[in-house]
Amino acid sequence: MKLIEDPSLDRFRDECRAWLNDNVPRNARPSEGLELRAYDMAWQRTQFEGGWAGVSWPKAFGGRGLSVLEQLIWHEEYARAGARTSASMFVALSHAGPTLIVQGSEDQKSRHLPAILKGEETWCQGFSEPGAGSDLAALKTRAVIDGDHLVVSGTKIWTSYAQGADYQELLVRTDPDLPRHRGISWVICDMTLPGIEVRPITTMTGYAHFAQIFYDEVRIPMTNLVGQLNGGWGVAMTTLGFERGTGTIAHQIELANTVERLITTAKETYDRATGKSLFADAAVASRLAVLRAEVAALRSLTVASVSRGMREEIPGAEGNIPALYFGELTRRVNGAVIDLLGPGAMARGGSHNLPKAYLESFKWAIGGGTSEIRRNTIGERVLGLPKGPRAI
Amino acid sequence: MIVDLEPTDDQRLIAESVGGMLAASLPVARLREASGNGAQPENALWSSLAELGLFGMGLPEEKGGFGYGLPEEMLAARELGLVLASPSVLAQMAAAHLADDGLRPAIMSGEARCAFASLGFDGTVWLYDGDAASHVVLLGDGAALLPRDAFGNWTAQVPMDETITLANAIAAGDLPARDNVAERISLLIAAATTGIAQAATAMAVDFAGQREQFGQPIGSFQAIKHSCADMAVRAAAADAQVRYCAITFGRTEDDRREIAAARWLATDAAIENAKANIQVHGGMGFTAECDAHLFLKRAHLFSALGSSRREEERRIIADAD
Ligand SMILES: Cc1cc2nc3c(=O)[nH]c(=O)nc-3n(C[C@H](O)[C@H](O)[C@H](O)COP(=O)(O)OP(=O)(O)OC[C@H]3O[C@@H](n4cnc5c(N)ncnc54)[C@H](O)[C@@H]3O)c2cc1C
């Protein structure tokens, strides 16, 4: 436990800040669909041209290869500059790309990695199915080998940013007779292939954030297989250690800003009945104080997890602790905004669309692993409690 | 500002040597028979604790300390919480920061003995485990070190936590305003309180892995498993915040609110985890024989050391007035 004082890091921070100030897009970001995709790709291109693409990727693969501390600084400055998180580029930059770096063939790497960094291709993640969510290994989308192709039939659901995505990391069942974790393969699916239909799904916020995808005898070349045939579970579970806990910093800072804005608004909002500000109400002040304490704790948990990340190569199950805390706290913070600010908070529009942020906040306790699944993992893999019943 | 929250090798060693000594000489089980005896085992250990360097740990060398800083002192305080050490041990560490040059050597050697006292709403002062004390660390908004007899007569009371002794008196004079030393003491209390939260979690997890019902360990049931996971998260949040404060103390404008947050989170974790631990133990958890209630009572006691969740909330939000 110590303060890290390193003038070269201060210079690095100045460099990040200056570049971000000059380059972060100032135009409004579209909420969905192809316009959103175009916006995110253009911003990625700008980062590439400025030498900031793939901050956590190793240099050998075209990334910036920042150390953990430099990543921390970059993400802090990124949030401070008001840059938006990578959204349509997220799967490509934080999941598919790193997976290819670790597991992909030379051909797969040279084909996709530079294009991702330049913002020329977007990816989506085809893991979940209607019958396989938390229990991912129950997936049924079938791939049959036909010569040098896999023929895929089935459906995926809740696929974020599927609209317009160029590629998909697709998990398919290549051998239904093997035990369920062993008959799965990880393939690169070109989303323009014949037989693929993308049906957007509107979320509770009112935007088409994700989609259901149907595959009708889609022919994918065997060369798109990543890792071994039937080895896809291992590929999907490859622990991608590039980010070392720094990936959520921008979200965490954004949440802290939301609490500070709420405090300011509570001070500036007067209750006609009492003639006092909302903040002058002890019950309101108490609630705001607790939220402030909790966002401070989230910041400290994130710092603790980055500190661990500086030392361990492979992130452990402990990462579920800040993730669970973040998901639950995000819901509480945005819930308080709607709860405290009265009828005015229920109108959309304005510089901060409060209803959208509130409705959006529910996803953080579901997507990427529900809070319940995270509690299971903390119980079993961090605390060592006995496993519950499992399907085999 | 960039902070590294992982203990250095040196810090790990300090925590291990303090923790090892405490675990060997002050196992929580000692408190089962402790009713009415107060801090007797701790009292017997006082000179060893002084020799270990506990009482001057965070003092600079020119004041006779070891030249360690707040992070090392905080780690030691957390170890005290883990074994439910008498609050007087922490009071002695706090007193080293409050004492003047004349008194300090006697505090560090353990010759002068200290105990915590809290100022109640109505001006009553409550003294914890102060039977052997020559001095009192009085905590309200600020903190002061006073001779025990400055308060006139102490009247013995029966505490909720019967493993300590309790006495009260009428306050003498005003407390100084809250200053950096009071903040530092509050952070040390938060660290010890975090230790209580961690120990309650460990006890619940241990029991949940062993106790069987319906032919399986109760820890395999999600209601229990998730309760344990939530305990671990609360303890981790408090611990991370306490460690963060220990490093950034004195370097930002936000000390007051960051430490208040640490204190709030630690109190919340200790009390809520202690409650959950009782529930995980079922009927056994409601008995005097099971240690679970000891954590609850101690958590409440530490929460009241010159503070409460409500007062910390005021401090957290104060700068926003
Ligand atoms: C905004 C958003 C974006 C998403 N993006 C993608 C994407 O891009 N690609 C993709 O593949 N998937 C994506 N998902 C899907 C996401 O991974 C799943 O929704 C999630 O894993 C839960 O699966 P499910 O929806 O089938 O719910 P279920 O697994 O059916 O869960 C329903 C409820 O049961 C609980 N539950 C289930 N199993 C257990 C258990 N063992 N113990 C205790 N409780 C349990 C859950 O916690 C939940 O409360 C996204 C989801 C959201 C919300």
Side-chain angles (χ1 to χ4, degrees), chain A residues 99-377:
Chain A
T99 303
L100 293 182
I101 289 174
V102 178
Q103 305 269 5
S105 67
E106 287 315 311
D107 185 48
Q108 289 163 348
K109 285 190 254 200
S110 60
R111 214 166 152 145
H112 294 289
L113 299 180
I116 290 173
L117 292 173
K118 287 180 196 154
E120 289 169 358
E121 58 183 52
T122 62
W123 284 61
C124 60
Q125 181 182 65
F127 286 12
S128 304
E129 295 181 6
S134 299
D135 185 14
L136 182 58
L139 64 90
K140 286 206 187 75
T141 294
R142 186 79 172 91
V144 182
I145 299 172
D146 178 21
D148 53 4
H149 279 74
L150 286 167
V151 184
V152 175
S153 296
T155 182
K156 293 286 170 182
I157 198 165
W158 321 131
T159 315
S160 300
Y161 306 107
Q163 269 185 291
D166 301 291
Y167 294 93
Q168 181 180 45
E169 35 176 32
L170 181 61
L171 284 185
V172 289
R173 186 155 302 280
T174 31
D175 189 341
D177 298 327
L178 285 173
R180 30 183 243 151
H181 292 89
R182 284 200 235 134
I184 294 170
S185 300
W186 199 109
V187 286
I188 301 170
C189 173
D190 177 342
M191 293 292 284
T192 60
L193 288 174
I196 294 181
E197 188 199 343
V198 177
R199 277 188 219 159
I201 300 173
T202 305
T203 70
M204 65 190 268
T205 61
Y207 299 102
H209 170 83
F210 44 33
Q212 182 163 9
I213 306 180
F214 297 88
Y215 310 80
D216 181 13
E217 303 202 345
V218 178
R219 297 182 66 83
I220 301 177
M222 287 289 276
T223 49
N224 281 15
L225 198 61
V226 174
Q228 301 292 315
L229 184 73
N230 294 328
W233 187 259
V235 179
M237 297 299 129
T238 307
T239 338
L240 303 163
F242 300 157
E243 289 182 346
R244 314 278 179 86
T246 61
T248 55
I249 287 168
H251 289 302
Q252 168 241 309
I253 292 175
E254 217 175 287
L255 194 63
N257 290 343
T258 304
V259 171
E260 292 309 309
R261 268 201 311 274
L262 179 58
I263 291 172
T264 308
T265 313
K267 282 194 283 185
E268 291 167 352
T269 307
Y270 281 78
D271 183 341
R272 280 176 23 150
T274 61
K276 291 186 177 159
S277 76
L278 288 182
F279 188 76
D281 178 335
V284 173
S286 157
R287 198 159 164 195
L288 294 172
V290 172
L291 292 176
R292 217 187 214 182
E294 291 175 327
V295 295
L298 177 65
R299 182 268 334 267
S300 299
L301 280 171
T302 308
V303 174
S305 123
V306 171
S307 304
R308 263 200 321 273
M310 286 192 271
R311 293 165 175 87
E312 53 191 27
E313 282 297 313
I314 295 169
E318 288 87 0
N320 280 284
I321 290 178
L324 173 60
Y325 200 82
F326 172 73
E328 296 294 310
L329 181 57
T330 302
R331 286 177 44 169
R332 282 201 295 283
V333 166
N334 287 286
V337 172
I338 293 294
D339 206 24
L340 294 179
L341 298 185
M346 279 170 255
R348 295 181 185 240
S351 58
H352 298 288
N353 184 337
L354 302 180
K356 183 179 179 213
Y358 168 62
L359 297 171
E360 198 75 37
S361 70
F362 284 77
K363 77 176 181 199
W364 293 108
I366 302 173
T370 67
S371 290
E372 290 74 25
I373 295 297
R374 292 195 191 283
R375 289 191 181 94
N376 286 346
T377 310

Side-chain angles (χ1 to χ4, degrees), chain A residues 1-5 9 13 69 72-73 76 260 263 267 279 285-290 292-294 296-297 299-301 303-304 307-308 310-311 321 324-325 372-376 378-380 383 385-389, chain B residues 1-8 11 71 74-75 201 205 208-209 216-217 219-220 222 224-226 228-230 232-233 236-237 240-241 243-244 246-248 251 257-258 261 264-265 313-314 316-321:
Chain A
M1 292 160 54
K2 58 182 185 304
L3 203 66
I4 297 175
E5 286 168 303
L9 289 176
R13 187 183 291 281
L69 289 179
L72 171 85
I73 292 169
E76 280 179 359
E260 292 309 309
I263 291 172
K267 282 194 283 185
F279 188 76
S286 157
R287 198 159 164 195
L288 294 172
V290 172
R292 217 187 214 182
E294 291 175 327
R299 182 268 334 267
S300 299
L301 280 171
V303 174
S307 304
R308 263 200 321 273
M310 286 192 271
R311 293 165 175 87
I321 290 178
L324 173 60
Y325 200 82
E372 290 74 25
I373 295 297
R374 292 195 191 283
R375 289 191 181 94
N376 286 346
I378 293 166
E380 292 168 15
L383 302 177
L385 287 170
K387 281 189 190 314
Chain B
M1 192 163 36
I2 303 178
V3 295
D4 179 358
L5 289 187
E6 282 286 297
T8 60
Q11 289 165 342
M74 173 249 126
L75 288 171
T201 309
V205 169
Q216 48 194 313
S220 64
Q222 288 188 335
I224 297 296
K225 183 178 291 169
H226 289 190
C228 291
D230 287 336
V233 171
Q241 179 68 8
R243 284 190 279 155
Y244 185 88
I247 300 177
T248 60
R251 296 178 204 263
R257 84 147 117 129
E258 293 283 2
W264 190 96
L265 293 157
E313 284 165 22
R314 256 197 312 108
I316 293 166
I317 210 80
D319 68 297
D321 274 344

Side-chain angles (χ1 to χ4, degrees), chain B residues 63 70 94-100 137-145 174-189 249-250 252-257 259-260 263 306 312 315:
Chain B
K63 289 190 172 176
L70 187 50
H97 294 284
L98 289 164
D100 58 23
V137 176
L138 179 60
L139 300 172
D141 199 36
L145 180 62
D174 289 330
L175 264 179
R178 196 171 180 86
D179 60 5
N180 274 346
V181 177
E183 296 292 0
R184 187 181 183 120
I185 294 172
S186 194
L187 183 61
L188 292 179
I189 296 172
F249 184 72
T252 77
E253 317 237 292
D254 302 329
D255 281 350
R256 198 182 154 100
R257 84 147 117 129
I259 289 176
R263 193 72 194 275
E312 296 308 338
R315 291 191 181 112

